[in-house]
Amino acid sequence: MFKKKMIEKKNALITRAEEIVAKAKAEERELTEDEAKTLDEIDQNVKSIKTTIEATDKVEAMDDKEEAPADEDREDETEKTEDEKAKEEQETRAFENYIRGVVVNERAGELTKGDNGAVIPTSIANKIIKKVYDISPVLERSDRYNVKGQLNIPYYDTTSGDITVAYQTEFTALTSSNGKFATISLTGFLAGALSKISRSLINNAQFDIVDFVVTQMAENIARFIEKELLVGTSGKVTGMSTLTNGVTATAATYYNADDLIKLKDAVKDVYQNNAIFVMNSKTRTALRLLKDDNGRYLLQDDITSPFGTTLLGKPVYVSDNMPETAASKATIYYGDFKGLATKFSEDINIQVLREKYADEHAVGVIGWFEFDSKVENEQMLAKLTMAAADPAAAAQTMAAKTTTASK
């Protein structure tokens, strides 16, 4: 953590120095006395930070003094890691300079230019992709594939029969019985995300513009992908919307413990280890009020749980993409989301558009990706669908029909 802060501080100082020089070049003048003094101070500070970082590296290397001497492969691996860190640092600075509109010399690196902007370096794009997975546990826990074109996933379908094992009589022929192999086809649907960044923020030298871009784009992309995985869109990505395994709740607008127990038991025990509940925040609030026969709340706060709360011993993940409680709506999913297949045909491609939104005093950051998602294993997942009407309302309707008929 200390070393990371030192590197970030050094990068900020170098960026400041580059801005001062770029301004003087643009105005075709010499450096002012204050600017020259500032550059000297930055130079001294950068040298001091570099010395500190080198000293830190040497001390960390001392931890290996009791271990066996490293072989050549280990040395090459260490050098490669340092090279990768240096490249990432250079790409990060080049990316920040491009957004801020700072013209620097070639040693700072350049971004690949496209017809409509600059392509974000791989190291920055990878940070966005990683953050997308961190933001959405549903996507992170799904069975992910990164392949081009159509992907056919085979599975063993036992709906029309299965292999039968039974006692047999000697010299009596066995009767064939088996299921069949079917496939789930994943293609690809193109999607895009656009985030506009205020130039006022960009012009603030103290503002971490790189981290803002990474976070903003990751949140936009993760929110969209998670919605498609959970709710789906007709004719596009179907996600969990085609799931048939599950139970129907007793009521249309409220929950009871029996419904939740049935939902959990709808997933086979072999898949219970990594299972989680997924629901809307309002649904979680409603479940907080449920108690068992001993007056104990079913939903418990648990700091050891991945999401801070547990229901029937399993983590509860809240997503605003899940529907709120309403008649005939699938409001809770449960199971191991490894049963949901997600395919990315095209890596997330990010571009910076500096000129397109100039009239809005903003810079655009746009992301393109191609993906598809379908349920891969129904036995690993289950859903709770609310009833079409509450029991009391249904009883009143039935009574009214009976009265009308008797007349």
Side-chain angles (χ1 to χ4, degrees):
M1 182 62 72
F2 171 75
K3 183 177 176 181
K4 181 175 181 293
K5 288 182 177 179
M6 288 294 99
I7 292 174
E8 290 175 349
K9 185 176 180 180
K10 182 191 70 173
N11 291 344
L13 288 169
I14 293 174
T15 298
R16 176 59 181 151
E18 289 168 342
E19 289 174 348
I20 292 173
V21 174
K23 184 178 180 182
K25 284 184 178 180
E27 296 175 1
E28 297 183 346
R29 60 172 175 78
E30 297 179 351
L31 293 173
T32 65
E33 184 177 341
D34 288 341
E35 288 174 335
K37 183 179 178 182
T38 300
L39 286 176
D40 287 337
E41 291 175 353
I42 290 175
D43 182 52
Q44 292 300 318
N45 287 333
V46 169
K47 288 179 180 178
S48 177
I49 292 172
K50 285 183 177 180
T51 301
T52 302
I53 294 173
E54 289 172 1
T56 302
D57 288 339
K58 288 180 181 178
V59 171
E60 289 176 352
M62 292 178 186
D63 292 340
D64 299 329
K65 60 182 178 296
E66 297 298 331
E67 298 179 3
D71 54 28
E72 292 182 2
D73 292 340
R74 182 177 176 85
E75 290 175 359
D76 291 342
E77 182 180 342
T78 303
E79 291 175 3
K80 181 180 178 182
T81 301
E82 291 301 323
D83 289 342
E84 288 174 348
K85 288 180 180 179
K87 181 180 179 183
E88 182 177 337
E89 180 183 329
Q90 181 178 332
E91 288 181 344
T92 299
R93 193 161 70 248
F95 175 56
E96 180 175 356
N97 286 334
Y98 182 81
I99 294 179
R100 293 188 188 278
V102 177
V103 179
V104 298
N105 55 34
E106 292 182 359
R107 71 176 179 84
E110 295 182 353
L111 300 187
T112 303
K113 304 297 191 301
D115 294 336
N116 200 22
V119 180
I120 288 182
T122 302
S123 59
I124 306 297
N126 286 340
K127 287 182 181 179
I128 294 175
I129 294 169
K130 181 182 181 301
K131 204 168 186 69
V132 167
Y133 289 147
D134 290 343
I135 292 172
S136 175
V138 174
L139 173 60
E140 193 274 332
R141 289 167 179 257
S142 68
D143 198 8
R144 301 191 301 275
Y145 301 88
N146 292 297
V147 295
K148 306 289 184 182
Q150 181 169 306
L151 172 64
N152 294 319
I153 305 172
Y155 70 96
Y156 191 62
D157 184 8
T158 60
T159 55
S160 59
D162 199 357
I163 298 174
T164 302
V165 179
Y167 290 107
Q168 301 293 334
T169 304
E170 192 174 13
F171 300 116
T172 301
L174 293 173
T175 302
S176 174
S177 60
N178 57 275
K180 62 179 181 179
F181 280 97
T183 59
I184 296 171
S185 295
L186 295 176
T187 56
F189 298 95
L190 186 64
L194 170 65
S195 176
K196 288 187 282 189
I197 309 168
S198 164
R199 285 186 180 270
S200 296
L201 284 179
I202 293 172
N203 294 335
N204 183 350
Q206 303 302 315
F207 184 74
D208 190 345
I209 194 68
V210 175
D211 183 66
F212 178 84
V213 170
V214 170
T215 301
Q216 191 73 18
M217 286 304 301
E219 287 179 353
N220 289 350
I221 293 171
R223 192 179 299 114
F224 173 81
I225 292 177
E226 186 173 275
K227 175 181 177 296
E228 295 307 296
L229 265 55
L230 294 174
V231 181
T233 298
S234 179
K236 299 290 184 181
V237 176
T238 56
M240 295 281 287
S241 65
T242 59
L243 181 66
T244 58
N245 184 36
V247 297
T248 301
T250 306
T253 57
Y254 60 90
Y255 303 88
N256 62 44
D258 291 349
D259 295 335
L260 300 173
I261 293 171
K262 291 176 183 177
L263 173 64
K264 185 178 179 182
D265 285 349
V267 173
K268 293 185 178 296
D269 287 359
V270 69
Y271 301 125
Q272 291 281 350
N273 262 357
N274 298 314
I276 63 172
F277 286 95
V278 179
M279 62 189 71
N280 187 279
S281 59
K282 292 184 178 179
T283 301
R284 182 182 63 179
T285 300
L287 296 185
R288 282 187 181 279
L289 305 176
L290 285 181
K291 299 178 182 179
D292 61 17
D293 293 337
N294 296 317
R296 295 173 300 190
Y297 288 104
L298 293 180
L299 196 148
Q300 299 287 329
D301 291 327
D302 183 358
I303 60 173
T304 63
S305 173
F307 314 116
T309 51
T310 59
L311 175 64
L312 301 178
K314 293 298 180 180
V316 176
Y317 171 63
V318 169
S319 172
D320 290 335
N321 289 310
M322 285 294 289
E324 295 183 13
T325 303
S328 302
K329 290 286 187 181
T331 58
I332 303 176
Y333 287 123
Y334 174 76
D336 184 347
F337 278 79
K338 202 72 174 174
L340 178 67
T342 306
K343 180 181 80 76
F344 284 90
S345 304
E346 177 184 325
D347 291 336
I348 299 175
N349 181 278
I350 313 294
Q351 287 186 306
V352 181
L353 312 178
R354 292 189 59 245
E355 305 301 330
K356 185 173 182 179
Y357 301 101
D359 59 340
E360 299 180 31
H361 198 62
V363 170
V365 181
I366 191 167
W368 292 102
F369 55 98
E370 188 176 335
F371 78 115
D372 195 6
S373 179
K374 290 180 181 177
V375 174
E376 181 179 9
N377 189 338
E378 288 255 350
Q379 295 181 332
M380 299 177 75
L381 298 161
K383 64 179 179 180
L384 178 67
T385 304
M386 304 308 293
D390 288 332
Q396 291 176 355
T397 302
M398 182 60 69
K401 288 182 178 179
T402 303
T403 303
T404 303
S406 62
K407 293 179 180 180

